[in-house]
Amino acid sequence: RYSSFLIAAVGCFSAQAQITLTATDNVPGVPPPVSSFTYTKAAFAAAPAGGPDQVFDYTTLVSTGTTTFEWVDPTVYSNSSVFTGAQMTSINGTDTVMYAVTDAGLERVGEFKRLIVFGQPVDLEIVHTDNMLELALPLMYNDQWSDAVIGTVTSGVDTGNRNGLIQGVADGFGELTLPGVTGALPVLRVFTNLQEIIQIPIGGSPTDVTHKRKQYDYYTPYLKMPILSVYSDSLISFVNVVDNGIRWMNTNPVGMEEMTSVPMEVGLAPNPASDNVVVNLDEATGTGATLFVSDATGRMVITER
């Protein structure tokens, strides 16, 4: 069972406080430790209005499955040398995305994608001629950015181009509530809008594909990935692919898990907390207990009997 340790860990941030996203607090390390973030998925629903001091209520979400994002060293990809400057890699299903952290923020260096065209898999290596700024950092409410999308697309010996624009804005902050999580999380919401044309090279004749992605990401302090995302992603051409939905972490990477075979009451005080928190264990006589505390990357930071 999961308690509200995450709330206590970040409780010093009130719903009205400003949250500033940074590379240190909100992006996996460089190079990243092998970190997995499992999300629960739900059907798409439009994101609520932004603005200051909002209550973003997602407690009614119904699970339709799960998806996992894994962050690893770029060298796990067999042809990683084509992605010059890549420092970290995100793997999710058939997508492998290369990133770098710069003074501007989190930049996308390139990616590997697999599309199904007329029933056949088409593997694409996409290299950004000029890295795409996916998330400006540091970032706080009302900050915004835009960046050109310029790159090359390779499939076998055939090549095409990628051109477009990504725009982003931190459009809201406040409290986020989730299914199965006690209390509310302080969040900063970031909206990104990507519009581009990708030339998919097939048989030496590039075919233009319109790619549109609109996404709302909710970030909470110290977590290395968004706690919740509302996304709508489409590829429009001879083959139309639409992927939209909501994904969220309902068992937080920073948390306290009670592993016991006997009845036990667990309490936290104060909750929320600004600096220290007391964990109260009402245990069965003579059983004892071991407390494990991990950080957002899954690294164990405290083990105590």
Side-chain angles (χ1 to χ4, degrees):
R1 298 197 304 271
Y2 287 83
S3 76
S4 50
F5 183 78
L6 177 61
I7 312 303
V10 299
C12 54
F13 295 86
S14 69
Q16 288 72 37
Q18 286 283 348
I19 295 174
T20 299
L21 304 186
T22 68
T24 301
D25 292 341
N26 302 105
V27 173
V30 178
V34 177
S35 302
S36 293
F37 297 86
T38 298
Y39 286 84
T40 301
K41 298 189 296 183
F44 177 81
D53 301 330
Q54 298 295 311
V55 176
F56 303 108
D57 184 2
Y58 284 95
T59 55
T60 60
L61 292 176
V62 177
S63 172
T64 59
T66 62
T67 186
T68 299
F69 288 81
E70 186 176 21
W71 288 84
V72 295
D73 191 284
T75 56
V76 300
Y77 182 59
S78 59
N79 201 27
S80 60
S81 61
V82 303
F83 300 105
T84 304
Q87 300 170 316
M88 59 182 70
T89 300
S90 173
I91 301 173
N92 177 35
T94 58
D95 290 345
T96 301
V97 184
M98 307 292 179
Y99 289 99
V101 177
T102 70
D103 291 340
L106 181 65
E107 297 189 345
R108 184 177 293 213
V109 178
E111 60 202 271
F112 168 82
K113 297 182 74 70
R114 172 166 290 174
L115 300 179
I116 303 300
V117 180
F118 301 125
Q120 299 296 319
V122 177
D123 292 336
L124 303 177
E125 278 185 345
I126 302 173
V127 177
H128 291 274
T129 308
D130 182 13
N131 291 352
M132 182 182 81
L133 185 57
E134 184 111 339
L135 180 65
L137 296 170
L139 190 73
M140 62 186 302
Y141 178 57
N142 275 337
D143 287 349
Q144 54 188 300
W145 79 95
S146 65
D147 195 24
V149 180
I150 305 171
T152 59
V153 183
T154 303
S155 178
V157 297
D158 300 320
T159 60
N161 296 315
R162 180 180 195 176
N163 294 281
L165 180 71
I166 186 171
Q167 297 173 296
V169 58
D171 74 338
F173 71 89
E175 294 182 331
L176 173 71
T177 54
L178 294 172
V181 177
T182 303
L185 298 172
V187 290
L188 177 70
R189 190 173 81 174
V190 181
F191 171 65
T192 53
N193 183 8
L194 172 63
Q195 308 269 343
E196 62 175 335
I197 301 294
I198 303 174
Q199 288 184 330
I200 298 181
I202 300 177
S205 178
T207 299
D208 286 353
V209 173
T210 299
H211 178 218
K212 298 181 179 181
R213 188 195 72 198
K214 294 184 177 181
Q215 186 160 314
Y216 292 88
D217 291 316
Y218 295 79
Y219 287 89
T220 196
Y222 311 123
L223 195 58
K224 303 295 187 178
M225 288 276 286
I227 190 74
L228 181 144
S229 298
V230 180
Y231 57 94
S232 178
D233 202 329
S234 63
L235 291 171
I236 303 171
S237 183
F238 52 83
V239 54
N240 294 340
V241 180
V242 178
D243 180 22
N244 55 33
I246 299 175
R247 55 178 178 257
W248 79 98
M249 295 186 206
N250 62 352
T251 52
N252 304 305
V254 178
M256 182 174 70
E257 184 176 12
E258 179 190 337
M259 302 292 289
T260 178
S261 59
V262 298
M264 179 182 291
E265 295 293 327
V266 180
L268 300 172
N271 186 15
S274 59
D275 50 2
N276 298 315
V277 63
V278 176
V279 181
N280 298 301
L281 303 177
D282 182 10
E283 60 188 286
T285 303
T287 59
T290 302
L291 177 70
F292 301 91
V293 180
S294 62
D295 66 13
T297 69
R299 180 176 61 93
M300 201 68 67
V301 294
I302 296 175
T303 301
E304 187 164 319
R305 182 70 176 171

